Amino acid sequence: MNDSAAQVLQFVQENDVKFIRLAFCDITGAQKNIAIMAQELPRAFEQGISFDSPNVKGLEGAGHTDLFLVPDCSTISILPWRPAHERVMRMFCDICYPDGSPFEAASRSVLRQAVQRAASQGFICRIGTECEFYLFSTDEQGRPTDVPFDRGSYADISPLDKGENIRREICLALEDMGLMPESSHHEQGPGQNEVDFRYADALTAADNLVTFQSVVRAIAEQNGLYASFLPKPLPGQAGNGLHLHISLARGGKNLFENRPRHSESAESFIQGILDRIGEITVFLNPLTNSYRRFGSFEAPRFVTWSHQNRSQLIRIPASSGEANRMELRSPDPTCNPYLAFALLLHAGLDGIEQKRGLMPSCDCDPAETDALLLPQNLGQALERAQNSEFVARWLPEGVRESYFALKENEWRGFRQSEDTFAWEKKNFFDRV
Ligand code: GLU
Ligand code: MG
């Protein structure tokens, strides 16, 4: 057992931890876990814990081979909403074959590989996520309704904003879990909120986003509410975006620093993402409902970038120094962050390798230019990804097969339904 494992065992003993949640995600990014008792943790470190992998979406490809959960020592967090005595600790896991080698189609290992590709060229990618969500009231049985918790709008205060106590509890829980919350506010839609926390390296940022969503869900539930991350839960109201603030550093220097201008590498990285965005949209905007969000309430519709305009696909904010970055505004909170971040990283690195020059910014209404459109529905996005040699190069076959089959099925269900919004609500409203 290595030093970090020994330190985790010591932490468990000294902090009255009784249960360890071994956490992982299925191919949609939904968090799953198996709880083990604390005394089983040494075995988890040494051999991994086997689980019923064929029952998890995206892991079917292992066939009859047993898969194991191997906890990552750098990801310990106490779950603050569980009892303060005989406590519950969560650890993210890698999914491995019996010999300890990583199962290639597990999304966390797909992102690890992208991070390693960047590292082999001396790059560290950091990502900050801004994840919006709605709070809905529940009925007498505790089931979610479509009645928003309040009628507030952007940056409102109490009594219009009824979410202040929930956001406070979320911030405190994030702080307990080491996520460093930075700011929070009521968003544009009724019952819509945002809580932002500090950026991190790409793998930690994906883990943190999964943690964030679980915190929001747990705290909403404890308050008799339902938190929805559906991209467009209320027709005619603002959608839920997942804005990604991405930067790249080499040798301790942020390549997105913009004095006097950003580096050529940063520009090529951005262009690399612009080049591939249509091919990877199905991974950034996975649901039929995702496409209702584009084109209104500051969600993008065209493949353009700008320094100012918040409705465009990429914004390069005018701040300076450590915080310099690009902001990608198309993704939504129902994406699998491990796959999404991996593809974005590969697209950007390809852009650098190919020395792509950045296209001109769009400083007017993109609808009045000949700018390309983002895919306009799940079917289009799926087709672009299925025909993409870029996606085929960077995503293992097992991921592609399973993801595309899932999306084909959803696209068929959507097209066959009479009331498409009712179909989305029935299948996704109380799940994402
Ligand atoms: N809710 C908007 C979206 O769907 C974004 C609003 C904002 O800029 O925070 O992306
Ligand atoms: Mg926002």
Side-chain angles (χ1 to χ4, degrees), residues 130 132 185 187 194 243:
E130 277 180 24
E132 297 170 332
H185 61 275
E187 258 300 345
E194 181 174 322
H243 304 157

Side-chain angles (χ1 to χ4, degrees), residues 191-220:
Q192 193 185 24
N193 291 269
E194 181 174 322
V195 178
D196 297 330
F197 51 92
R198 196 173 163 82
Y199 64 83
D201 66 89
L203 186 63
T204 308
D207 289 343
N208 285 353
L209 180 62
V210 174
T211 301
F212 172 76
Q213 293 185 339
S214 70
V215 168
V216 170
R217 287 194 176 102
I219 289 179

Side-chain angles (χ1 to χ4, degrees), residues 132 187-188 192 194 238-241 243 293 297-299 329:
E132 297 170 332
E187 258 300 345
Q188 293 175 58
Q192 193 185 24
E194 181 174 322
N240 282 324
H243 304 157
R293 173 178 154 255
F297 295 96
E298 299 180 304
R329 295 180 57 88

Side-chain angles (χ1 to χ4, degrees), residues 173-416:
L174 293 177
E175 208 161 52
D176 281 349
M177 296 179 81
L179 257 64
M180 291 191 269
E182 289 180 338
S183 68
S184 63
H185 61 275
H186 197 289
E187 258 300 345
Q188 293 175 58
Q192 193 185 24
N193 291 269
E194 181 174 322
V195 178
D196 297 330
F197 51 92
R198 196 173 163 82
Y199 64 83
D201 66 89
L203 186 63
T204 308
D207 289 343
N208 285 353
L209 180 62
V210 174
T211 301
F212 172 76
Q213 293 185 339
S214 70
V215 168
V216 170
R217 287 194 176 102
I219 289 179
E221 155 109 52
Q222 280 188 343
N223 285 276
L225 297 171
Y226 179 71
S228 173
F229 293 93
L230 200 67
K232 194 80 169 175
L234 298 173
Q237 299 287 355
N240 282 324
L242 172 70
H243 304 157
L244 301 180
H245 295 260
I246 308 177
S247 69
L248 203 61
R250 177 139 70 175
K253 187 171 161 45
N254 179 2
L255 301 176
F256 277 77
E257 255 178 50
N258 59 1
R259 300 262 166 86
R261 62 196 292 257
H262 356 91
S263 68
E264 272 173 29
S265 303
E267 296 200 348
S268 300
F269 185 87
I270 299 171
Q271 185 59 41
I273 291 178
L274 289 165
D275 287 340
R276 298 298 180 191
I277 195 77
E279 293 162 63
I280 63 175
T281 292
V282 75
F283 296 96
L284 309 180
N285 306 93
L287 302 183
T288 57
N289 181 268
S290 300
Y291 297 83
R292 298 184 193 271
R293 173 178 154 255
F294 287 164
S296 60
F297 295 96
E298 299 180 304
R301 184 154 176 257
F302 293 93
V303 181
T304 54
W305 75 272
S306 152
H307 282 296
Q308 314 294 342
N309 191 322
R310 285 179 180 260
S311 307
Q312 300 204 16
L313 177 65
I314 291 179
R315 187 171 75 99
I316 307 183
S319 57
S320 65
E322 194 206 4
N324 267 127
R325 63 206 186 253
M326 58 166 276
E327 177 185 0
L328 181 70
R329 295 180 57 88
S330 63
D332 69 57
T334 57
C335 71
N336 175 335
Y338 300 97
L339 298 181
F341 295 0
L343 288 168
L344 289 167
L345 197 43
H346 282 304
L349 292 173
D350 277 5
I352 294 179
E353 273 174 22
Q354 294 158 11
K355 297 197 176 359
R356 299 284 289 139
L358 181 59
M359 68 190 212
S361 64
C362 173
D363 300 314
C364 56
D365 177 359
E368 283 160 20
T369 68
D370 55 3
L372 296 173
L373 280 166
L374 287 168
Q376 289 170 73
N377 57 48
L378 184 68
Q380 277 182 13
L382 177 59
E383 201 182 324
R384 294 284 303 274
Q386 284 172 316
N387 293 329
S388 162
E389 58 77 32
F390 170 79
V391 170
R393 179 149 31 100
W394 296 114
L395 285 189
E397 196 181 349
V399 174
R400 281 180 282 130
E401 272 181 9
S402 157
Y403 195 84
F404 293 157
L406 191 69
K407 295 297 137 186
E408 272 170 8
N409 210 12
E410 285 172 20
W411 180 232
R412 197 174 313 115
F414 174 86
R415 274 180 313 155
Q416 286 170 355

Side-chain angles (χ1 to χ4, degrees), residues 288 410 413-414 417 419-428:
T288 57
E410 285 172 20
F414 174 86
S417 60
D419 179 342
T420 54
F421 189 69
W423 178 86
E424 284 168 357
K425 263 185 83 178
K426 179 163 159 262
N427 286 284
F428 298 103

